[in-house]
Amino acid sequence: MSIRLPGSGPSRRSVLGAAAVLLSPSGLPPGDRSLVLAADQASRRVILVDVNTLPWQGSGTADVRGLAASRLALWSWAGPEDDSWWAVSEAKYRRWRGREWVLSCATGGLAVLVSFPEGRVRWAARPGGNPHSIELLPDGRVVVASAAPGFLRLYSSAAQYVQYDLAGAHGVHWDGPRELLWAVSDSALTAFRAGEGLEPVRSVPLPTPGGHDLAAVAAHPDRLWVTTNRHVYQYSVSSGTFSPAAGDGPGIKSIGDDRRSGQILAVHPDRENPSPWCTSTLTFTRPDGSGRLARTSLYKARWLVRR
């Protein structure tokens, strides 16, 4: 499906149906492999890699030369070749209505929902305001979190939305068992009911300022991963409390645990990367180690578990 974006002039590349999708010659691996979906700002793509093929650096071993993502990527998707797809900031995998989807957005202002692995655009919009995260609701509506000036937008179509102002909105996650939409901002973790609009029903101050990433803890359905400028936490929904978490560190852009292995994946910025808020290295905990993708600038990376 090709979708024309609202506000796009005829001189711009406004139809996303032509965006490239690349599959490795061998296709996707079996569902029991450890796959990672990453937002790569160097290639302006969302890329999929198999962790088992990464050049591995275990704890206490010498560094190894990373392999180029172009050699390891099983799948990739790129948005339009204009400023709206500058600095890819999110990559999420979801299942909806029996099909597989990838959600992505970019600092340049574009947010999309594409079919996986076909890469066909089902929905796209330009909310602007530095989109940092995106979520798909069970009814097919899409929520985008934009960091500046700070808001959540709940879209019923590419052109119709309601907005909730939220300073520094960086992460958004749908909590299916509780039918709540969670969002992390500069100073709080907030839960919303998603009806005709977004109604806040709980707001908890963050232990440290600068909320960034937000995701479910696969091993504990009651908990959420929450990162801030300084630390990584797990938030217990039932008790309403934060606790220190494995993989702690400052400035972590994304973190999550693998439902099958329990291994934790985090993205730590590297000041030597051409984009110092990004990295070329995926950092793992339990077991500890790292895998490097040369010539990438990874902003976020998440486990992709195909049920």
Side-chain angles (χ1 to χ4, degrees):
M1 176 184 297
S2 297
I3 298 178
R4 185 170 294 277
L5 301 178
S8 299
S11 62
R12 307 285 285 181
R13 182 180 172 186
S14 58
V15 178
L16 298 183
V21 177
L22 304 176
L23 281 169
S24 69
S26 59
L28 297 176
D32 60 349
R33 299 300 292 271
S34 296
L35 304 178
V36 169
L37 192 68
D40 178 25
Q41 297 190 357
S43 66
R44 297 167 59 109
R45 289 181 176 274
V46 176
I47 61 173
L48 179 71
V49 295
D50 183 345
V51 170
N52 299 283
T53 67
L54 290 178
W56 181 256
Q57 178 188 354
S59 297
T61 65
D63 195 6
V64 296
R65 185 174 61 184
L67 296 180
S70 59
R71 292 179 54 188
L72 293 177
L74 300 168
W75 179 92
S76 70
W77 188 89
E81 296 175 356
D82 62 31
D83 290 343
S84 71
W85 197 244
W86 172 78
V88 187
S89 56
E90 182 64 279
K92 288 183 178 180
Y93 168 87
R94 293 290 185 262
R95 291 191 65 90
W96 179 64
R97 294 186 177 176
R99 296 186 61 188
E100 298 174 279
W101 305 92
V102 167
L103 291 148
S104 187
C105 58
T107 294
L110 179 63
V112 296
L113 171 68
V114 302
S115 62
F116 179 82
E118 300 86 1
R120 298 188 184 96
V121 178
R122 176 183 175 88
W123 174 92
R126 285 193 169 106
N130 193 359
H132 257 68
S133 192
I134 182 171
E135 186 59 286
L136 177 65
L137 303 190
D139 60 9
R141 291 183 295 172
V142 176
V143 179
V144 179
S146 285
F151 58 79
L152 303 178
R153 281 192 181 176
L154 173 61
Y155 283 89
S156 53
S157 70
Q160 296 180 320
Y161 62 86
V162 293
Q163 179 169 311
Y164 183 92
D165 292 339
L166 187 67
H170 266 73
V172 64
H173 171 73
W174 175 251
D175 180 353
R178 299 167 188 84
E179 297 186 334
L180 291 174
L181 178 76
W182 294 89
V184 67
S185 58
D186 281 342
S187 59
L189 176 66
T190 306
F192 296 86
R193 295 285 182 199
E196 293 184 3
L198 294 171
E199 176 191 359
V201 295
R202 181 193 298 188
S203 187
V204 185
L206 296 175
T208 53
H212 196 278
D213 195 38
L214 177 62
V217 177
H220 300 283
D222 178 56
R223 301 182 192 175
L224 299 171
W225 290 103
V226 179
T227 73
T228 69
N229 289 341
R230 301 177 189 173
H231 292 291
V232 175
Y233 304 95
Q234 288 189 4
Y235 174 76
S236 169
V237 178
S238 59
S239 69
T241 58
F242 291 92
S243 59
D248 187 32
I252 291 178
K253 298 303 183 182
S254 69
I255 192 167
D257 55 321
D258 182 9
R259 180 168 57 83
R260 291 192 176 93
S261 68
Q263 191 172 33
I264 297 170
L265 164 65
V267 172
H268 300 254
D270 178 359
R271 291 185 179 179
E272 299 195 3
N273 193 278
S275 300
W277 52 88
C278 296
T279 183
S280 296
T281 301
L282 299 175
T283 302
F284 299 91
T285 305
R286 300 176 183 172
D288 297 352
S290 61
R292 185 166 174 264
L293 286 165
R295 297 186 292 281
T296 60
S297 294
L298 307 176
Y299 188 71
K300 290 180 185 173
R302 305 193 185 280
W303 296 106
L304 188 157
V305 179
R306 304 183 78 197
R307 298 183 181 89

